[in-house]
Amino acid sequence: MNALPCTIYVSFAGAALALVAGTRSAGAARIVALLTALTAWGITLVAAARFVPVTALQTLVNVPWIPEFGINYHLAADGISLTLLVLTGLATTAGVLFSWNINHRTGEFFALYLALIGGVYGVFLSADAFVLFVFYEIAIVPKYFLIANWGSTNREYGAMKLVLYSFAGSALVLAGMLWAYAAGRATGFGFPELIAATGHLDLASQTGIFALVFLGFATLAGMFPLHTWAPTGHVAAPTGASMLLAGVVMKLGAYGCLRVALPLSPDAFLLLQPAIAWLAIIGILYAGLVALVQDDFKFVIGYSSVSHMGFVMLGLAAANPAALSGAVFQMFSHGVIAGLLFAVVGRMVYERTHTRQLAALRALPLHRLMPFAAVVFVLAGLASMGLPGFSGFPAELTILIGTWQTNPIWAVAAASGVLIAAAFTLRAIQVSFFGRTGPDLCVTPVDPLPPITWPEKAGALLLLGATIYLGLSPDTLLDWIRPALQSPAFHAILTGGAS
């Protein structure tokens, strides 16, 4: 555990090295990026192997930073943090492998990529709200340049929209934190200090603080109706950045809601709980229905990502041990599965066929031209549908069981989203990879496509292995997550409010 802060420093050091290496050769920058990602991921895996589940954040670093305002460089971790740190390492490594084809300003690309990841590691390790906010901002800026410089469709529009939404969300978070600090006369920005400060405020003030902080984080989580940046950003981003956006960046928002917003004002959360739950359910259904009628393959995955993040937000809204543990599990599961889907669509299919239109892909026998990609997409699609044997099954099942315990109507309404997910996933599989069948396939010549490369196969197998392993052994993560939810920070939420 004590080595976990090194994930931040290794990522930023790797970003600087990749920038320098890129001035010599693209290959050197790629090697630096891969070694950096593997090193940081290895640190998280070693910490996971030695991890003893705990009921509170374990301090790793705590030194004064801005003592006038009680701000400390305080890093800590528990089972929830560790789950998302391992996810970050896995998604980063797979993203580097799927960015192996970047030949334009390669050093700059991987420098921005690793700097973004350094910010992500920092958010998941922060135990001081101000430090969390700083790392949150660090993670936002590289996203713009990655999309605007290496993206595709409407890349400048997509990049600007994503960053404006992100900055608007972070402005709400900062306003809420300052309100809590000032009105509550807090002694610092550490999580316990802020929670203690808001506990003395009246319900109106608590509600205002909660609304600002929750909406700010929920924007980055892609919660309806604040989700519109997500599909646009995913489509515009290069494949590696799409994998990071869906895989880990959206989790920053959900993590902020869980770690900061909910404990900060539990009474206000319970007051707004039904509204949050119904917005999550609307997001699940609406984004699923939009995915069902999309003709752009990447938009299908983009809207499906928003729909699946709706389950995370519903788990947070249901706010009991089962629902919250399911929400954290779904963060990991969605990060792996969405990354895999974006890798197949953006890297394997689009880079070779130069089209994402399902109508055009229907005319190609992709299952014969790219059998590896077809198998991977089918398996990833089954995982996305929540079939047993994949991580999506225990994640969504745990959320729905927990939601049922809080409100059966919410669970029934959200469960219909599973049917919609099956519909748009099966449609995408059929049209994209098996659309052209029949006798004419045997006589019509089709130009061969470039073969799937070893980095693509390695990245895909990493992500596939993770979703299958957790589908068969979900307690690996749940045994980390459940004890962390027994922390005093979540006590008021789980017991029905502070007052």
Side-chain angles (χ1 to χ4, degrees):
M1 291 282 282
N2 290 335
L4 283 174
C6 293
T7 55
I8 303 172
Y9 316 137
V10 165
S11 298
F12 287 130
L17 286 174
L19 187 62
V20 174
T23 61
R24 296 179 176 274
S25 74
R30 295 188 192 104
I31 296 297
V32 168
L34 182 58
L35 290 177
T36 302
L38 284 172
T39 301
W41 186 27
I43 291 171
T44 68
L45 291 178
V46 170
R50 299 176 176 176
F51 179 63
V52 177
V54 292
T55 58
L57 283 166
Q58 301 297 297
T59 293
L60 306 172
V61 178
N62 191 9
V63 295
W65 182 24
I66 309 176
E68 293 82 0
F69 300 106
I71 297 172
N72 288 352
Y73 182 68
H74 188 185
L75 304 181
D78 60 6
I80 297 172
S81 308
L82 187 59
T83 297
L84 297 172
L85 291 168
V86 173
L87 167 66
T88 303
L90 173 60
T92 305
T93 304
V96 170
L97 292 169
F98 279 104
S99 302
W100 213 253
N101 63 322
I102 298 290
N103 291 312
H104 172 60
R105 296 162 62 187
T106 309
E108 295 171 49
F109 174 87
F110 283 116
L112 290 165
Y113 182 95
L114 294 173
L116 188 159
I117 289 303
V120 171
Y121 278 125
V123 169
F124 291 143
L125 282 169
S126 295
D128 183 290
F130 192 85
V131 175
L132 183 149
F133 177 79
V134 171
F135 279 120
Y136 191 81
E137 294 290 293
I138 290 174
I140 290 175
V141 176
K143 288 189 300 183
Y144 174 83
F145 293 104
L146 283 171
I147 298 173
N149 290 309
W150 289 273
S152 55
T153 309
N154 291 327
R155 60 187 183 185
E156 293 185 359
Y157 170 75
M160 184 59 72
K161 185 174 182 179
L162 184 152
V163 170
L164 287 179
Y165 268 70
S166 299
F167 275 122
S170 61
L172 293 176
V173 170
L174 180 61
M177 290 195 311
L178 292 176
W179 187 353
Y181 177 82
R185 300 181 185 277
T187 57
F189 283 87
F191 295 155
E193 287 88 346
L194 279 185
I195 292 171
T198 54
H200 302 293
L201 300 177
D202 58 65
L203 184 58
S205 297
Q206 286 192 35
T207 304
I209 292 169
F210 173 79
L212 288 173
V213 177
F214 185 86
L215 285 176
F217 283 124
T219 300
L220 195 57
M223 185 175 179
F224 179 88
L226 307 170
H227 67 284
T228 60
W229 66 268
T232 310
H234 292 329
V235 170
T239 299
S242 291
M243 294 172 68
L244 287 188
L245 282 178
V248 296
V249 173
M250 293 180 81
K251 310 305 175 296
L252 299 182
Y255 179 78
C257 290
L258 173 63
R259 182 71 81 188
V260 182
L262 269 60
L264 196 58
S265 305
D267 289 331
F269 161 67
L270 293 172
L271 181 68
L272 299 174
Q273 184 181 30
I276 296 170
W278 280 111
L279 286 175
I281 293 167
I282 292 171
I284 293 170
L285 303 180
Y286 169 78
L289 290 172
V290 174
L292 189 58
V293 298
Q294 290 296 310
D295 193 45
D296 186 310
F297 203 1
K298 215 170 179 183
F299 264 117
V300 174
I301 307 305
Y303 276 102
S304 76
S305 182
V306 174
S307 180
H308 284 103
M309 281 301 294
F311 279 98
V312 174
M313 302 309 290
L314 179 62
L316 299 183
N320 57 51
L324 291 179
S325 59
V328 179
F329 199 115
Q330 173 72 346
M331 289 186 211
F332 190 103
S333 175
H334 175 259
V336 171
I337 296 170
L340 192 53
L341 292 171
F342 276 115
V344 174
V345 176
R347 178 70 185 95
M348 295 183 184
V349 174
Y350 180 67
E351 294 286 343
R352 289 171 174 79
T353 64
H354 306 292
T355 181
R356 297 193 308 259
Q357 298 302 309
L358 291 177
L361 293 173
R362 183 194 293 271
L364 297 172
L366 287 186
H367 64 292
R368 292 190 178 184
L369 295 172
M370 294 193 298
F372 182 84
V375 170
V376 170
F377 191 80
V378 168
L379 292 176
L382 296 178
S384 179
M385 290 160 55
L387 260 65
F390 299 95
S391 60
F393 176 72
E396 294 185 359
L397 182 65
T398 309
I399 290 173
L400 290 175
I401 290 174
T403 303
W404 181 277
Q405 293 170 352
T406 299
N407 188 319
I409 296 176
W410 296 350
V412 171
S416 59
V418 176
L419 298 177
I420 298 173
F424 68 67
T425 303
L426 291 174
R427 170 179 174 265
I429 292 173
Q430 170 62 31
V431 174
S432 59
F433 285 97
F434 302 97
R436 187 176 181 229
T437 58
D440 62 316
L441 184 62
C442 301
V443 297
T444 304
V446 178
D447 292 334
L449 298 175
I452 303 297
T453 63
W454 74 262
E456 294 170 88
K457 290 181 179 178
L461 292 176
L462 277 178
L463 297 173
L464 265 181
T467 188
I468 292 172
Y469 174 74
L470 292 175
L472 299 176
S473 182
D475 281 346
T476 302
L477 286 189
L478 291 173
D479 286 346
W480 300 351
I481 298 166
R482 288 176 182 135
L485 293 172
Q486 297 173 19
S487 163
F490 301 114
H491 178 75
I493 301 166
L494 297 175
T495 56
S499 60

